[in-house]
Amino acid sequence: MNQQHSQELFREAQRYLPGGVDSPVRAFKTVGGTPPFIVKGQGARMFDADGNEFIDYVCSWGPLIMGHSHPQVVEALKRAVERGTSFGAPTELEITLARMISTAMPSIQMLRFVNSGTEAAMTALRLARAYTKRDMIVKFAGGYHGHSDGLLAKAGSGVATLGIPDSPGVPSGYARNTLTALYNDAKAVEQLFERYSEEIAAVIVEPVAANMGVVPPQPGFLESLRSLTSRFGSLLIFDEVITGFRVAYGGAQALYSITPDLTCLGKIIGGGLPVGAYGGRRDIMEMMAPVGPVYQAGTLSGNPIAMTAGIETLKLLNQPGVYNQLENKTASLEKGIGTAAAKAGIRIYISRTASLLTVFFTADQVVDYESAKRANTEEFNRFFHVLLTEGIYWPPSQFEAAFVSFAHSDEDIQLTIRVIGKALSLLKK
Ligand SMILES: *Cc1c(COP(=O)(O)O)cnc(C)c1O
């Protein structure tokens, strides 16, 4: 694969941007090599500065569930841009998107738009602390909720990829208020509640963990979190930044029939533009300024461009058959990879929920961060590079989900399976 232009751009980027990127995993540090510099995306494909073409399984890390530059989204955005990009005053578009979200997720009676998932999770915690008048929170090892202080403890995503134990720069006072447990270990959470019963404001959880690779909740886990938080007067926060409108139109809370007190959203609801949101019960949300005393604000929050991309994306998703097709595409990818691995004589563990999928290079079941970390990352890295060379843009980390979009055709999936088969048989040698 010719990467001359990307190599030059990567060198230049590193002069001005730490690691040459604006978000760490993009730099390919753990897989090695040069990240392709992208010039264009179309449907399921991306094209780089050297003219290489890739079938994309990153999809901007989740937002592009309808694929790159979907014509309906692009058309609506063009019209919106001509009317102005931001007013710092209310628009009807905010009501439209808020109503669509609240209808899809009835637990969200009210919400507020922000500009990233990080902001959403950070503010949901502030609100939970104000509401319960408690300071501590429980999160899960390998769970990622953005990069705010206090949520970086044992974090997933890039923190897991780079093996950073806990980020410097976080005051010890913040970290002290963050308790951690292993995902799928409700017993450990119960013990934390027994020990700190009057101090835990909230449990924040990815209802399907997707930042240590995909790790679905085991039966009863989310139910236990719901009943423990209720019993101890604490709030249950679902971080559905990835799972919202991904695992079902109504998110993981619809898929598993659990009602959280607060929900964090991002990624898909921005349709590829920077958006996050937090929302939930009206009595809790009305603690936010200007109704209540809890402060949070944003210059570009709810801007018409981002709202438009979100509205059009949700419109496309809210049509019959969309989630069935996503399920079928990803199920055939999963099945094809399983068959290819058996044929190559390689033991892997494929983890999938809806259109989220991870190929773990371990023979054992992955149920939490400890078992995820047993994966052989060197094998993953070799696998990754065969795929990239053959035109498959897989997430450049063992600990991230691959995202299948509606734009992936059956031919794309079959081609991907063939390349994966080749990569797995090369690994065996
Ligand atoms: C991506 C992600 C975030 C952070 O969102 P940003 O928009 O990157 O700040 C938070 N929580 C989860 C579950 C995520 O996947």
Side-chain angles (χ1 to χ4, degrees), residues 57 333 336-338 340-341 344 348 357 359 361 383 386-387 390 392 394 413-427:
Y57 288 94
L333 179 60
I337 299 171
I348 52 172
L357 179 143
V359 177
F361 283 84
F383 167 84
V386 176
L387 266 58
E390 299 279 332
I392 308 292
W394 200 255
I413 302 279
Q414 291 313 315
L415 177 61
T416 305
I417 292 169
R418 281 201 296 281
V419 172
I420 287 180
K422 179 173 172 188
L424 293 176
S425 56
L426 283 174
L427 273 186

Coordinates of all heavy atoms in Angstrom, one line a residue, residues 57 333 336-338 340-341 344 348 357 359 361 383 386-387 390 392 394 413-427:
Y57 N -14.8 0.3 9.1 CA -15.5 -0.3 10.3 C -15.2 0.6 11.5 O -15.4 0.1 12.7 CB -15.0 -1.8 10.5 CG -15.6 -2.7 9.5 CD1 -14.9 -3.0 8.3 CD2 -16.9 -3.2 9.6 CE1 -15.4 -3.8 7.3 CE2 -17.5 -4.0 8.6 CZ -16.7 -4.3 7.5 OH -17.3 -5.1 6.5
L333 N -21.3 -11.1 9.2 CA -19.9 -10.8 9.5 C -19.4 -11.7 10.6 O -18.3 -12.4 10.5 CB -19.7 -9.4 9.8 CG -18.3 -8.9 10.1 CD1 -17.4 -9.1 8.9 CD2 -18.2 -7.4 10.4
G336 N -19.2 -15.3 9.4 CA -18.1 -15.5 8.5 C -16.7 -15.5 9.2 O -15.8 -16.3 8.8
I337 N -16.6 -14.6 10.2 CA -15.3 -14.6 10.9 C -15.1 -15.9 11.7 O -14.0 -16.5 11.7 CB -15.2 -13.4 11.8 CG1 -15.3 -12.1 11.0 CG2 -13.9 -13.4 12.6 CD1 -15.5 -10.8 11.9
G338 N -16.2 -16.4 12.3 CA -16.1 -17.6 13.1 C -15.7 -18.8 12.2 O -14.8 -19.6 12.5
A340 N -14.1 -18.6 9.3 CA -12.7 -18.4 8.8 C -11.7 -18.8 9.9 O -10.6 -19.3 9.6 CB -12.5 -16.9 8.4
A341 N -12.0 -18.4 11.2 CA -11.1 -18.8 12.3 C -11.0 -20.3 12.5 O -9.9 -20.8 12.7 CB -11.6 -18.1 13.6
A344 N -8.9 -21.6 9.7 CA -7.4 -21.3 9.9 C -6.9 -22.0 11.2 O -5.7 -22.0 11.4 CB -7.3 -19.8 10.0
I348 N -10.2 -17.6 18.6 CA -10.5 -16.2 18.9 C -11.9 -16.2 19.6 O -12.6 -17.2 19.6 CB -10.7 -15.4 17.6 CG1 -11.6 -16.0 16.6 CG2 -9.3 -15.1 17.0 CD1 -12.0 -15.1 15.4
L357 N -19.1 -5.1 17.2 CA -18.4 -6.4 17.2 C -17.0 -6.2 17.5 O -16.3 -5.3 17.1 CB -18.6 -7.0 15.8 CG -18.0 -8.3 15.5 CD1 -18.9 -9.1 14.6 CD2 -16.6 -8.2 14.8
V359 N -13.4 -8.7 17.7 CA -12.7 -10.0 17.6 C -11.5 -10.0 18.6 O -10.6 -9.2 18.5 CB -12.0 -10.2 16.2 CG1 -11.3 -11.5 16.1 CG2 -13.1 -10.2 15.1
F361 N -8.4 -11.6 20.5 CA -7.5 -12.7 20.3 C -7.2 -13.5 21.5 O -6.1 -13.4 22.1 CB -6.2 -12.1 19.6 CG -6.5 -11.9 18.1 CD1 -7.1 -10.7 17.7 CD2 -6.2 -12.8 17.2 CE1 -7.4 -10.5 16.4 CE2 -6.5 -12.6 15.9 CZ -7.1 -11.4 15.5
F383 N -3.0 -8.9 12.6 CA -4.3 -9.0 12.0 C -4.7 -7.6 11.4 O -5.1 -7.5 10.3 CB -5.3 -9.5 13.1 CG -6.7 -9.4 12.7 CD1 -7.4 -10.4 12.0 CD2 -7.5 -8.3 13.2 CE1 -8.7 -10.3 11.7 CE2 -8.9 -8.2 13.0 CZ -9.5 -9.2 12.2
V386 N -2.8 -6.6 8.2 CA -3.2 -7.3 7.0 C -4.5 -6.7 6.5 O -4.6 -6.4 5.3 CB -3.4 -8.8 7.2 CG1 -3.9 -9.5 6.0 CG2 -2.1 -9.5 7.7
L387 N -5.4 -6.4 7.4 CA -6.7 -5.9 7.0 C -6.5 -4.5 6.3 O -7.0 -4.2 5.2 CB -7.6 -5.7 8.2 CG -8.6 -6.9 8.4 CD1 -7.9 -8.2 8.6 CD2 -9.5 -6.6 9.6
E390 N -5.1 -4.6 2.9 CA -6.1 -5.2 2.0 C -7.3 -4.3 1.8 O -8.4 -4.7 1.3 CB -6.5 -6.6 2.4 CG -5.3 -7.6 2.4 CD -5.0 -8.2 1.1 OE1 -5.9 -8.2 0.2 OE2 -3.8 -8.5 0.9
I392 N -9.2 -2.8 4.4 CA -10.3 -2.9 5.4 C -9.8 -2.0 6.6 O -8.8 -2.3 7.2 CB -10.5 -4.3 5.9 CG1 -10.8 -5.3 4.8 CG2 -11.6 -4.3 7.0 CD1 -12.1 -5.1 4.1
W394 N -10.1 -1.4 10.0 CA -10.6 -1.9 11.2 C -10.2 -1.0 12.4 O -9.2 -0.3 12.2 CB -10.0 -3.3 11.4 CG -10.8 -4.2 12.4 CD1 -10.4 -4.6 13.6 CD2 -12.0 -4.9 12.1 NE1 -11.3 -5.5 14.2 CE2 -12.3 -5.7 13.2 CE3 -12.9 -5.0 11.0 CZ2 -13.4 -6.5 13.3 CZ3 -14.0 -5.8 11.1 CH2 -14.3 -6.6 12.2
I413 N -19.4 -7.0 3.1 CA -19.3 -7.9 4.3 C -18.5 -9.2 3.8 O -17.6 -9.6 4.4 CB -20.6 -8.3 4.8 CG1 -21.4 -7.0 5.3 CG2 -20.5 -9.3 5.9 CD1 -21.0 -6.5 6.7
Q414 N -18.9 -9.7 2.6 CA -18.3 -10.9 2.1 C -16.8 -10.6 1.8 O -16.0 -11.5 2.1 CB -19.0 -11.4 0.8 CG -20.4 -11.9 1.1 CD -20.5 -12.9 2.3 OE1 -19.6 -13.8 2.4 NE2 -21.5 -12.7 3.2
L415 N -16.5 -9.5 1.2 CA -15.1 -9.1 0.9 C -14.3 -9.1 2.2 O -13.2 -9.6 2.3 CB -15.1 -7.8 0.2 CG -13.7 -7.2 -0.2 CD1 -12.9 -8.2 -1.1 CD2 -13.8 -5.9 -0.8
T416 N -14.9 -8.5 3.2 CA -14.3 -8.3 4.5 C -14.0 -9.7 5.1 O -12.9 -9.9 5.7 CB -15.2 -7.5 5.5 OG1 -15.5 -6.3 4.9 CG2 -14.5 -7.3 6.8
I417 N -14.9 -10.6 5.0 CA -14.7 -12.0 5.5 C -13.6 -12.7 4.8 O -12.7 -13.3 5.5 CB -16.0 -12.8 5.4 CG1 -17.1 -12.2 6.3 CG2 -15.8 -14.3 5.7 CD1 -18.5 -12.8 6.1
R418 N -13.5 -12.5 3.5 CA -12.4 -13.1 2.8 C -11.0 -12.6 3.3 O -10.1 -13.3 3.5 CB -12.5 -12.8 1.3 CG -13.5 -13.8 0.6 CD -13.3 -13.9 -0.9 NE -13.5 -12.6 -1.6 CZ -14.7 -12.1 -1.9 NH1 -15.8 -12.8 -1.6 NH2 -14.8 -10.9 -2.5
V419 N -11.0 -11.2 3.5 CA -9.7 -10.6 3.9 C -9.4 -11.1 5.3 O -8.2 -11.4 5.6 CB -9.8 -9.1 3.8 CG1 -8.6 -8.5 4.5 CG2 -9.9 -8.6 2.4
I420 N -10.4 -11.2 6.2 CA -10.1 -11.6 7.5 C -9.7 -13.1 7.5 O -8.8 -13.5 8.3 CB -11.4 -11.4 8.4 CG1 -11.6 -9.9 8.7 CG2 -11.3 -12.2 9.7 CD1 -12.8 -9.6 9.5
G421 N -10.2 -13.9 6.6 CA -9.8 -15.3 6.5 C -8.3 -15.4 6.2 O -7.6 -16.1 6.7
K422 N -7.9 -14.5 5.2 CA -6.5 -14.4 4.8 C -5.6 -14.0 6.0 O -4.6 -14.6 6.3 CB -6.4 -13.4 3.7 CG -5.0 -13.3 3.2 CD -4.9 -12.4 1.9 CE -3.5 -12.1 1.5 NZ -3.4 -11.1 0.5
A423 N -6.1 -13.0 6.7 CA -5.3 -12.5 7.9 C -5.1 -13.6 8.9 O -4.1 -13.8 9.5 CB -6.0 -11.3 8.5
L424 N -6.2 -14.3 9.2 CA -6.2 -15.3 10.3 C -5.3 -16.5 9.8 O -4.5 -17.0 10.6 CB -7.6 -15.8 10.6 CG -8.5 -14.8 11.3 CD1 -9.9 -15.4 11.5 CD2 -7.9 -14.3 12.6
S425 N -5.3 -16.9 8.5 CA -4.4 -18.0 8.1 C -3.0 -17.5 8.1 O -2.1 -18.3 8.4 CB -4.9 -18.6 6.8 OG -4.9 -17.6 5.8
L426 N -2.7 -16.3 7.8 CA -1.3 -15.8 7.9 C -0.8 -15.8 9.3 O 0.3 -16.1 9.6 CB -1.2 -14.3 7.3 CG -1.2 -14.2 5.8 CD1 -1.3 -12.7 5.4 CD2 0.0 -14.9 5.2
L427 N -1.7 -15.5 10.3 CA -1.3 -15.5 11.7 C -0.9 -16.9 12.1 O 0.0 -17.0 13.0 CB -2.5 -15.1 12.6 CG -2.8 -13.6 12.8 CD1 -3.9 -13.4 13.8 CD2 -1.5 -12.9 13.4

